[in-house]
Amino acid sequence: MNFEAIKSIYVFEMARLRRTLLQSVISPVITTSLYFIVFGTAIGSRIQTVEGVSYGSFITPGLIMLTLLTQCISNGSIGIYFPKFTGTIYEILSAPVAMTEIIIGYVGAAATKGLIIGVIILATASFFVDIRIAHPFMMVLFLVLTAITFSMFGFIIGIWAKNFEQLNIIPMLVVPPLTFLGGSFYSINMLPPFWQTVSHFNPVLYLVSGFRWSFYEIADVNPMISLGMVGLFLVICLSILGWIFKTGYRLRN
Amino acid sequence: MASVVSIDKLTKTYENGFQALKGIDLEIEEGEILALLGPNGAGKTTLISIICGLVNPSTGKVLVGGKDVVRDFRQTRSLIGLVPQELTTDMFETVWNTVNFSRGVYGKKPNPALVESVLKELSLWSKKDNMLRELSGGMKRRVMIAKALAHEPQILFLDEPTAGVDVNLRREMWQLVEKLRASGVTIILTTHYIEEAEEIADRVGVINGGKLLLIEKKAALMKKLGRKQLRLELSEPLTALPASLAVYNLTLADDGTALIHEYQGEEGQGAIASLLSTLAAENIHFRDLSTRQSSLEDIFVALVGEDA
Ligand SMILES: Nc1ncnc2c1ncn2[C@@H]1O[C@H](COP(=O)(O)OP(=O)(O)OP(=O)(O)O)[C@@H](O)[C@H]1O
Ligand SMILES: [Mg+2]
C-alpha cells in the first residue's frame, strides 16, 4: 500500500473541498431550512403526525439522505472528472499508485465531505424539530455506508462521463426524483397498493426507510433488508470499479 | 553499459483501431541523454506513455530497471519522472502544494528542503505561494518539471520540453539537464528541433510512422551519414576540370570560380591531402577554403523522406 499517496490525494481533495465548503454547506442548509418551513411548518401543521412522529421529525432522515446522496455523487464524480478534464490525471496514472489507492483517496474525501454536510443538516434540523435517535450505532452505519457507496457511484460516473452534461445528469435528474418517490416525505403505506409495489423497485426507499428506522423505529421495509440493500449497492459499485481497474476503462486507452 | 529501459517488440493499437507503434525495439542506457526525433504523429508520445504507465501496451514488453512496467508498476514508476507534452495544471492550486502533492503520490515522505531546492533551481521559489493560473506559460512549464523532479527520479522523460519556451528558459533547461545527467539521471527527450538533439543528446533515435528508423550515437551518426563539403575559392576561374582531377568527386561552381569537393564521413578525409597536392601540381591556386558538415537536420529530412 502506498499510504503516502492515499494521504496526498485525500488531503489534496479535502483542500479543494475546503475552498468550496462555504458554498457547498450554505446551499444545502438553506434548502433544508426551506423544506422545514414549507413542509414541516406550513403543510406539516395540517398533517400532524405520521405513524406517531411529528411530520417535521418524520422528514428529517429523508432530507439528510437526499443531501448526502446528491453531495456524495457530485463530489465523487467531480473529484475524478476534473483531473481527467484538465489532463492533470496523467500524474496519478503515471505514479506508483494502484487503482485501489486512487479510489480510497478520492472516495474517502468525497464521503467525508458528504458526512460533514449530513451532520450539519442534522444539526440544522434539530433547530426546527425534535430529533430522537433510537439506534445511534445503526444510524452512523447507514450514514457511513451510504456515503461511501454513493461516493463510489459518483466516482464511476466521473470516469464514465465524457462531458459536463453526462457528469450532471444523474445527480440532477435521477437522484431527486428517486429520493422524492422513495418515501422521504411520506410513508409508502399512505400510497395505493400498486404504487407501494413500484416503490419497492426504488433503491432509495431502502436507504431512507432504514435510516429513518434508526431514528424512530418506524420503517417501510425491514431495517435488516435495508442494510442488506445498502451492502448490495456497495458490492455492485465495487464490482464495477474492479472491472474499471482491470480494463483501464476510459483511463488507460 | 547497463540498459535501464529495455523495450521489446512493442506495439500499440488504439481503441479506434489505429496502430501507433509497429514493433519498437530499443535499449536505453543508464545515464545517457537520448533524443527521440520524429514528425507529428510519429508515435513518440505513445511510446513514452507506455513506458510511464499512462497507456497500456497492446503487445510486446517494456522493462524499466529490469522490471515489467505493467506487472511491477510500483517499482518501475517510482524510478520515472515525466514532463508531459501538454501543459496541464491545477489552476487553483499553489506552486508549493502542487509540487508537494507530486512527491506524495509517488509515495515519498514530505521533504520541504528538497522541494525548496528544486523550486530554487527552476527559479520558481519566489512564486511558491502563487496559484498556477497566475503564472506565465513558461513558468507553468517549469512547474511541470519541478513536479517531475519532486520525487527524485532516476529516469526523466521530457516530452517536447521546449515547445513554446523562450531562448533563456531553453538555455536554463539544458543546463539543468546536464546537471541531472551529471548526477546519474537518465534523460529521454522528444523534440522537433534538431539543433536541440544535436546540442545535448548522446544518442539520437528517429521515429516515423510507429517504427524506429534508426538509433545511433550522435557522433557516429554524423560520421556515418553526415556529408561533408570542401569548397575552394579559386584565384582564377577554370573553364573545365583537368583530367588528373577526374578521380575526385568535384564540381565547378559559380562560373568556374569555385571548386566543390563532396565526401562522406571519415573515409573521404584522406582524399583531401592528395586532392590539394594534385591541385598544386596542376598549378591551380585558391584564395580561400571552407568546409561544411551536413547537420542532423539534413540527415533527418533525408531519412524521413526516404521512408515516406
Ligand atoms: N488516444 C488515442 N486514440 C487514437 N489514436 C491516437 C491516440 N493518441 C494518439 N493517437 C494517434 O497515434 C499516433 C501517434 O501519436 P503520438 O501522440 O504518439 O505522436 P507524437 O510522435 O508524439 O506526435 P507529436 O510530435 O505531434 O507530439 C497519431 O497518429 C495519433 O493520431
Ligand atoms: Mg507527442
Side-chain angles (χ1 to χ4, degrees):
Chain A
M1 268 286 180
N2 184 345
F3 289 109
E4 210 54 58
I6 297 177
K7 194 180 91 189
S8 299
I9 294 174
Y10 184 83
V11 169
F12 199 80
E13 275 302 288
M14 287 309 283
R16 195 175 62 75
L17 298 178
R18 207 163 36 238
R19 282 198 298 268
T20 58
L21 194 62
L22 207 60
Q23 75 187 59
S24 50
V25 166
I26 285 179
S27 106
V29 166
I30 291 179
T31 318
T32 317
S33 305
L34 286 175
Y35 277 122
F36 282 119
I37 292 165
V38 175
F39 287 104
T41 317
I43 301 174
S45 63
R46 286 157 200 271
I47 298 181
Q48 309 291 345
T49 61
V50 180
E51 301 187 21
V53 179
S54 84
Y55 187 65
S57 307
F58 180 83
I59 63 172
T60 305
L63 284 177
I64 296 174
M65 273 293 161
L66 172 67
T67 315
L68 189 68
L69 293 187
T70 330
Q71 286 290 325
C72 287
I73 293 177
S74 72
N75 289 324
S77 59
I78 290 169
I80 189 73
Y81 179 80
F82 205 64
K84 222 179 68 172
F85 176 72
T86 58
T88 52
I89 196 162
Y90 85 86
E91 181 160 43
I92 292 158
L93 293 181
S94 62
V97 274
M99 267 305 249
T100 351
E101 292 147 5
I102 298 177
I103 289 169
I104 295 174
Y106 280 108
V107 169
T112 307
K113 189 189 173 196
L115 285 172
I116 292 173
I117 293 173
V119 169
I120 292 175
I121 304 282
L122 184 61
T124 314
S126 68
F127 284 106
F128 292 91
V129 292
D130 288 329
I131 305 284
R132 179 168 59 85
I133 301 172
H135 304 280
F137 175 76
M138 288 300 281
M139 187 211 91
V140 172
L141 190 65
F142 269 111
L143 212 53
V144 171
L145 283 182
T146 308
I148 293 175
T149 305
F150 284 84
S151 298
M152 278 186 186
F153 183 53
F155 188 89
I156 294 168
I157 295 174
I159 287 187
W160 162 80
K162 280 186 172 162
N163 51 50
F164 277 99
E165 197 186 357
Q166 293 184 340
L167 186 70
N168 285 325
I169 200 149
I170 291 184
M172 307 279 273
L173 282 181
V174 180
V175 173
L178 287 182
T179 322
F180 277 95
L181 301 176
S184 297
F185 299 103
Y186 52 87
S187 161
I188 60 163
N189 296 329
M190 297 162 150
L191 297 175
F194 173 74
W195 290 106
Q196 286 194 27
T197 315
V198 171
S199 296
H200 281 92
F201 289 98
N202 180 352
V204 176
L205 171 75
Y206 299 92
L207 301 177
V208 172
S209 167
F211 193 50
R212 184 181 292 131
W213 172 82
S214 70
F215 282 76
Y216 312 118
E217 296 184 296
I218 52 172
D220 290 329
V221 284
N222 183 316
M224 286 306 126
I225 294 181
S226 291
L227 198 60
M229 285 307 239
V230 179
L232 180 67
F233 301 147
L234 188 68
V235 169
I236 293 174
C237 288
L238 280 173
S239 325
I240 299 176
L241 286 173
W243 176 80
I244 289 175
F245 302 165
K246 270 225 191 75
T247 56
Y249 174 73
R250 291 206 177 160
L251 284 178
R252 283 204 168 86
N253 285 310
Chain B
M1 223 188 274
S3 62
V4 64
V5 177
S6 128
I7 301 167
D8 187 27
K9 301 190 196 67
L10 180 67
T11 72
K12 172 69 193 178
T13 307
Y14 280 108
E15 263 183 347
N16 60 8
F18 181 82
Q19 193 176 18
L21 295 180
K22 300 173 181 161
I24 301 264
D25 293 293
L26 171 64
E27 300 288 323
I28 300 172
E29 288 162 13
E30 193 171 347
E32 74 170 329
I33 299 181
L34 171 67
L36 292 175
L37 287 172
N40 288 131
K44 305 180 295 291
T45 301
T46 304
L47 177 62
I48 290 183
S49 301
I50 292 175
I51 305 172
C52 295
L54 289 172
V55 170
N56 289 329
S58 297
T59 65
K61 215 179 165 106
V62 180
L63 302 181
V64 173
K67 306 275 184 190
D68 186 277
V69 291
V70 177
R71 208 186 51 226
D72 308 311
F73 69 92
R74 277 193 211 271
Q75 284 103 314
T76 65
R77 293 188 203 162
S78 305
L79 296 174
I80 296 177
L82 166 66
V83 182
Q85 182 171 2
E86 309 277 333
L87 266 182
T88 57
T89 45
D90 230 317
M91 290 300 171
F92 300 101
E93 273 309 325
T94 64
V95 172
W96 179 255
N97 284 347
T98 191
V99 175
N100 278 290
F101 172 76
S102 301
R103 187 175 167 85
V105 287
Y106 273 80
K108 297 272 176 133
K109 290 255 171 296
N111 184 345
L114 178 110
V115 173
E116 178 176 339
S117 76
V118 169
L119 290 179
K120 283 185 170 155
E121 186 83 56
L122 288 156
S123 327
L124 283 170
W125 184 241
S126 62
K127 301 279 179 193
K128 75 180 168 68
D129 295 319
N130 286 67
M131 277 194 214
L132 288 164
R133 67 190 166 98
E134 299 163 350
L135 303 184
S136 74
M139 288 173 187
K140 283 187 196 133
R141 176 82 54 189
R142 284 184 235 204
V143 174
M144 307 280 287
I145 300 174
K147 281 164 80 68
L149 294 177
H151 67 279
E152 306 154 89
Q154 286 305 299
I155 308 165
L156 182 65
F157 286 89
L158 300 164
D159 198 354
E160 280 173 49
T162 50
V165 154
D166 72 9
V167 185
N168 271 338
L169 179 52
R170 195 181 295 193
R171 277 277 135 246
E172 279 175 38
M173 213 133 69
W174 294 154
Q175 278 164 10
L176 181 70
V177 164
E178 284 296 344
K179 211 162 166 180
L180 287 169
R181 194 256 290 269
S183 70
V185 177
T186 308
I187 293 152
I188 297 96
L189 59 102
T190 72
T191 177
H192 293 277
Y193 301 111
I194 291 141
E195 321 88 76
E196 240 165 57
E198 204 162 349
E199 203 178 321
I200 63 159
D202 300 313
R203 285 202 303 163
V204 177
V206 178
I207 298 187
N208 193 25
K211 282 182 281 191
L212 190 64
L213 299 184
L214 130 172
I215 172 103
E216 193 91 56
K217 283 232 164 20
K218 187 180 62 187
L221 181 67
M222 305 285 286
K223 226 180 244 172
K224 204 160 89 184
L225 293 170
R227 299 176 69 76
K228 283 197 159 189
Q229 218 180 46
L230 170 70
R231 185 183 167 98
L232 300 165
E233 306 291 341
L234 301 178
S235 313
E236 282 151 29
L238 279 179
T239 45
L241 284 173
S244 59
L245 291 176
V247 292
Y248 303 103
N249 183 14
L250 284 178
T251 42
L252 268 177
D254 297 339
D255 296 328
T257 57
L259 202 53
I260 294 168
H261 172 52
E262 290 239 16
Y263 58 100
Q264 190 130 29
E266 213 130 74
E267 76 272 24
Q269 279 167 16
I272 293 180
S274 74
L275 168 66
L276 292 183
S277 54
T278 317
L279 284 174
E282 289 285 345
N283 229 354
I284 301 172
H285 300 285
F286 51 90
R287 294 181 280 121
D288 199 6
L289 145 166
S290 61
T291 64
R292 196 181 86 84
Q293 185 165 20
S294 62
S295 65
L296 253 180
E297 175 143 19
D298 303 330
I299 300 173
F300 173 73
V301 170
L303 260 176
V304 171
E306 230 168 68
D307 189 63

